[in-house]
Amino acid sequence: MSRNRLNEKTFQTLKQKMAEGLLPQWVVTDPEIYELELEEIFGHTWQFLAHESELKEPGSYVTRWMVNDPVLLVKTNSGELKAFLNSCTHRGSHLCTADAGNRKTFTCAYHGWSYNLEGDLIGIVAGDKVYGQEMKKDEWSLRRIPKIGIYQGMIFGNLDPKAMPLEEYLGDMKWYFDMLLGRSDGGMEVRGVPQRWVAHANWKMTSENFAADPYHVQTTHRSTVELGISPKDPLYAGYGHQVVLGHGHGINVITSATGRSAYRFQGLPESMWPMFERNLCPEQVDILSRTTVFVGGVFPNLSFVSPIHGTEGHLHNYLNFRVWRPLGPEKVEVWCWFMIDKAAPEEYKEEAYKGYIGSFGPSGTLEQDDTEIWARIVQASRGIMARDKELSYNNLCNYLMGFDRVEPDNTFPGPGIAYPTCYLDALSRSMHEYWLELLTRDLSGAE
Amino acid sequence: MNRELHCHITQFLTRETYLLDHRKYEEWLDMLADDIVYRMPMRVTKEAKDGPNLVEEMTFFEETKKSLTTRVNRLRTSSAWVDNPAPRQRHFITNILVEQGSQPNEWQVRSCFLFMRSRGSDIDVEQLFGERLDVIRNANEEWKIASRTIYPDQAVLGVMNLSMFL
């Protein structure tokens, strides 16, 4: 057996290195780790599927993916949301191949079996003539995604029937979701459909880059500093708090050197401020009013950013959610949703959308350079030296920023462990610790 | 449509391609009208009964001359990493169809595009293809692109970013 295969010792070394703030580089794109991640992480954690505003009428549906599991998410006649494996129960053919639409029934193109919005098998071509007692129709309904959960309009699915409830999984992230998604009457709405493209990247690094790493902003996005769009102070993305939450989740609350944003309530129209004060608790109002950028994530592969941006000289706020769908150890399909307060003035929504197109998504002047960096990580992580599990080349990634030095700030008004800077690896370390916990859950004593 | 006009517009688009492939972006900006509307709507996969499979509501580009100029200026910084080191790029424009536009001095021009890009030492080639719908205007003896709508054929773009212009 190759000395490079995974074994218990490998995981012990990993754990020991991670306790020292170091992550061996071989884990980034290791194919065996990847297979294990699909089973142990994506098979058990809550994954984002859609926002409620994408499914307006009974019969509305969207098709999504939980890594390699095709998902059909429908709104039934009673207005309930149901999620099924998007695969015919007869021969397993991919049932609905459109991205979205509205239907009363779904019919398989292979032999014509059809299902209603409840997933019941309601039609079998020539059923009476070709099947006898062997066919019990009610045993061949579409397979339900074992668990579905909704929080503040965000619809998640889980492939593990024994998974903890969504609300328990989100934990303290709910408080921050309430602030971002529940600040306005009517919540948020998705504009159009999610943008989709493929990046050369590993899902762990994109998740970490977005959720946990304001430190990269000053260098990766330096072009915007050169243009005069971003501040010159190299610490600008570090002011504020990095908040570590349970289950690998977290958020960066980026303010400014003074602790207050130059744009109160992220520059949202003043007419909306009383609404925020009505919908939120005083601590949430305080944080929302003085923050410039929120950026964070829900483990494993949902990230979000709520910045202020614009391409025409004036700045607007929006909320961008994204899913990093793994397509392999070195590839992710990025799904990117533009969301905006339903209650915002139409003119503001339009400007915010333009601000989004100019900054994030595949054409965004910020995100373009992120994609380049992600590719540079995977292309340098597949060699013998980078992947040496014996660590004889000291092939370790450095997660030492603030390690053992930066103490939590107990005066921060929100839940979670809040550190008084966003230039910190605390959240990245917490994500990787939860990652390892899930990977090794079933491995105790295994060789 | 007379042959001379078609030839003129084809030449104009070929010159544009040359400028883009050689990153002569400032000269490219000069080919755009000051009031240009430059958009790239999205393609989705829809059932036949649901009509056109284009989404106009969400786009990949929603640009004005000012925002396009900002994008060009960004590419001129020393830290636009996608273009530093720069990938090699080619735009292939074909199937040019010219029709009279809504104004006497404007022509509606449809074309197909194939964009190919080679990054670093990657063997895999990035590509993007689809259709463009332009309005090309002749004002004061000068040709300008008055509007451009780019319709990609891929619902999931096979390029890692859209740092290029199409």
Side-chain angles (χ1 to χ4, degrees), chain A residues 61 103 226 353 363 369, chain B residues 47 60 62 64 71 74 79:
Chain A
Y61 70 87
R103 295 202 71 109
E226 287 188 54
Y353 147 69
S363 67
D369 292 323
Chain B
E47 293 179 68
F60 291 113
E62 190 71 71
T64 60
R71 288 176 182 276
R74 197 191 75 84
S79 49

Side-chain angles (χ1 to χ4, degrees), chain A residues 19 134 158 222 240 352 391:
Chain A
E134 69 268 29
N158 198 314
R222 201 176 78 210
L391 302 179

Side-chain angles (χ1 to χ4, degrees), chain B:
Chain B
M1 197 53 51
N2 69 61
R3 186 186 283 264
E4 196 186 339
L5 179 74
H6 193 278
C7 187
H8 219 100
I9 289 175
T10 303
Q11 278 281 69
F12 178 76
L13 292 178
T14 306
R15 178 176 138 75
E16 186 201 5
T17 304
Y18 169 80
L19 294 178
L20 289 174
D21 288 348
H22 292 82
R23 292 193 162 74
K24 295 175 186 285
Y25 295 130
E26 288 77 6
E27 287 175 58
W28 175 69
L29 285 173
D30 286 340
M31 297 182 80
L32 313 181
D34 289 340
D35 60 344
I36 188 171
V37 176
Y38 181 98
R39 308 178 65 239
M40 182 171 173
M42 291 178 54
R43 187 76 71 172
V44 290
T45 307
K46 270 190 180 178
E47 293 179 68
K49 72 172 179 63
D50 289 333
N53 56 10
L54 289 164
V55 171
E56 298 280 348
E57 206 184 347
M58 180 47 68
T59 58
F60 291 113
F61 283 112
E62 190 71 71
E63 309 300 311
T64 60
K65 181 106 180 226
K66 186 175 177 184
S67 68
L68 288 169
T69 306
T70 301
R71 288 176 182 276
V72 167
N73 291 341
R74 197 191 75 84
L75 293 174
R76 294 300 184 225
T77 65
S78 67
S79 49
W81 305 119
V82 179
D83 276 56
N84 181 15
R88 281 73 57 185
Q89 57 183 3
R90 294 286 163 194
H91 295 70
F92 300 90
I93 306 300
T94 66
N95 305 36
I96 296 168
L97 188 68
V98 179
E99 289 171 318
Q100 179 65 53
S102 58
Q103 302 294 320
N105 63 338
E106 286 184 356
W107 283 268
Q108 187 173 288
V109 182
R110 283 183 185 276
S111 59
C112 296
F113 71 89
L114 170 64
F115 171 87
M116 302 188 84
R117 184 163 74 171
S118 172
R119 174 188 170 278
S121 313
D122 284 358
I123 305 299
D124 292 339
V125 171
E126 287 186 284
Q127 54 183 9
L128 201 60
F129 53 94
E131 185 176 321
R132 299 193 310 195
L133 177 58
D134 295 341
V135 173
I136 295 183
R137 185 189 290 159
N138 191 321
N140 308 320
E141 303 294 304
E142 254 198 315
W143 293 89
K144 297 273 184 189
I145 301 168
S147 85
R148 169 162 294 165
T149 312
I150 303 145
Y151 295 108
D153 283 340
Q154 290 144 301
V156 184
L157 301 186
V159 287
M160 46 194 266
N161 54 59
L162 293 170
S163 72
M164 74 299 276
F165 301 101
L166 296 162

Side-chain angles (χ1 to χ4, degrees), chain A residues 82-98:
Chain A
K82 289 196 170 169
F84 308 103
L85 187 69
N86 189 6
S87 168
C88 180
T89 56
H90 177 223
R91 289 288 199 274
S93 173
H94 196 190
L95 180 62
C96 176
T97 55

Side-chain angles (χ1 to χ4, degrees), chain A residues 386-406:
Chain A
R387 289 202 34 215
D388 179 19
K389 295 187 180 62
E390 303 284 320
L391 302 179
S392 50
Y393 304 108
N394 200 29
N395 59 340
L396 298 160
C397 293
N398 179 320
Y399 288 84
L400 288 167
M401 193 166 36
F403 186 70
D404 258 1
R405 176 176 55 84
V406 178

